[in-house]
Amino acid sequence: MTYSPLELSGKVAVVVGGTSGIGRAIAHGFAQAGADVIPTSRRAEQVDVAAREIEELGRRSLRVVSDVSDRASLERVLSEAVAAFGKVDILVNSAGRTKRAPTIDFLEADWNDIIDTNLTGTLRACQVFGRHMLERESGSIINIASLSTFVALYEVAAYSASKAAVGSLTKSLALEWSSRGVRVNAIAPGVFRTSLNQKLLDETDRGREFLLRTPMKRFGNVEELAGAAIFLASDAASFVTGEILNVDGGFLASGVNQ
């Protein structure tokens, strides 16, 4: 059989926040590329469904819940993954939350919740799984950044601040860990239609502005993120680290569109 550096055969991936949306699409893409995949999140019923989907794609999985605010739960995912599969090669940090409100009135408790999930939760997972990868001198971590890593989005200052920091954290960890065999990169998704944002995108001025700013003149499908994640996780990206790969239909390249 001819070796393909884009294959993930023999690799084990953990996708935190892998039971819905972007994380679920990446988990499916990894499985289709040959990896065994552990999609984990806070809700046991969603974890069970997501793991069954991986198994239906012909790959192995586990059913273990996690909460990025709870370091012990992340350590449990790692422990069970190593017990079952012997290692973790790939980590994707896809858990996140947001809330829209004028910044002048934004509650400090809401700010802290968003920062703790999006930024500190990413750090916790990177520390837990990164230590295992550093011991093995091999691994690939993929964080989920955002358009707001680079540009401001109206009335989501906490989310934007957290995602700008995720971009910086990605580069810092790449600087510290890449010489020890662990690559750290991020994906910055553009605007992707999901069941949760369909009404916003299709029926509001905000949605129409997002579309106007996207040169491809359409919103993304979450499945279109899988290729970027497979590339960054694979041996094809063996010299790629500290990068934030935009998958945005040209949004961040956009200036005047008409």
Side-chain angles (χ1 to χ4, degrees):
M1 180 180 294
T2 302
Y3 166 72
S4 170
L6 277 169
E7 287 183 352
L8 300 180
S9 298
K11 296 186 183 295
V12 177
V14 169
V15 183
V16 178
T19 62
S20 63
I22 288 170
R24 177 173 173 268
I26 290 174
H28 285 188
F30 282 171
Q32 290 163 347
D36 296 318
V37 185
I38 303 163
T40 180
S41 67
R42 293 180 297 169
R43 295 176 176 83
E45 64 276 11
Q46 292 184 357
V47 169
D48 181 63
V49 170
R52 189 182 317 121
E53 291 172 344
I54 298 302
E55 291 164 348
E56 289 171 352
L57 290 169
R59 307 309 307 170
R60 298 180 296 171
S61 190
L62 290 177
R63 290 157 175 80
V64 54
V65 298
S66 69
D67 184 337
V68 294
S69 69
D70 178 6
R71 183 181 297 269
S73 74
L74 297 168
E75 291 172 340
R76 187 165 54 251
V77 175
L78 173 61
S79 176
E80 294 197 21
V82 171
F85 303 137
K87 61 177 181 173
V88 173
D89 301 290
I90 302 161
L91 170 68
V92 176
N93 285 307
S94 188
R97 66 170 58 187
T98 189
K99 181 177 182 179
R100 180 180 177 181
T103 306
I104 191 67
D105 297 319
F106 207 82
L107 296 177
E108 189 169 322
D110 290 334
W111 175 280
N112 290 339
D113 284 345
I114 290 169
I115 296 295
D116 187 64
T117 297
N118 297 0
L119 175 58
T120 312
T122 295
L123 172 65
R124 289 187 190 102
C126 286
Q127 288 177 326
V128 168
F129 290 89
R131 188 178 301 278
H132 167 75
M133 293 176 179
L134 289 167
E135 290 171 352
R136 297 183 64 245
E137 297 185 338
S138 176
S140 174
I141 295 174
I142 303 170
N143 297 323
I144 301 301
S146 167
L147 296 175
S148 61
T149 301
F150 304 99
V151 297
L153 303 180
Y154 189 69
E155 291 186 341
V156 287
Y159 178 81
S160 296
S162 73
K163 290 299 186 177
V166 165
S168 180
L169 176 64
T170 297
K171 293 177 182 294
S172 293
L173 295 181
L175 182 63
E176 294 183 36
W177 294 355
S178 295
S179 65
R180 300 169 64 187
V182 180
R183 297 182 297 104
V184 187
N185 294 287
I187 294 172
V191 185
F192 287 78
R193 180 183 277 106
T194 68
S195 58
L196 295 178
N197 68 11
Q198 176 273 325
K199 187 176 179 66
L200 167 72
L201 295 183
D202 294 337
E203 301 179 21
T204 69
D205 288 340
R206 191 182 183 92
R208 284 184 281 274
E209 184 177 353
F210 274 130
L211 189 61
L212 177 66
R213 288 281 303 277
T214 302
M216 291 188 74
K217 299 304 178 189
R218 66 175 178 86
F219 301 122
N221 301 309
V222 290
E223 292 77 15
E224 292 179 292
L225 290 163
I230 292 167
F231 166 67
L232 290 175
S234 74
D235 294 343
S238 59
F239 201 54
V240 179
T241 193
E243 288 298 316
I244 303 174
L245 177 55
N246 304 323
V247 185
D248 65 354
F251 184 99
L252 290 169
S254 174
V256 176
N257 284 270
Q258 58 183 353

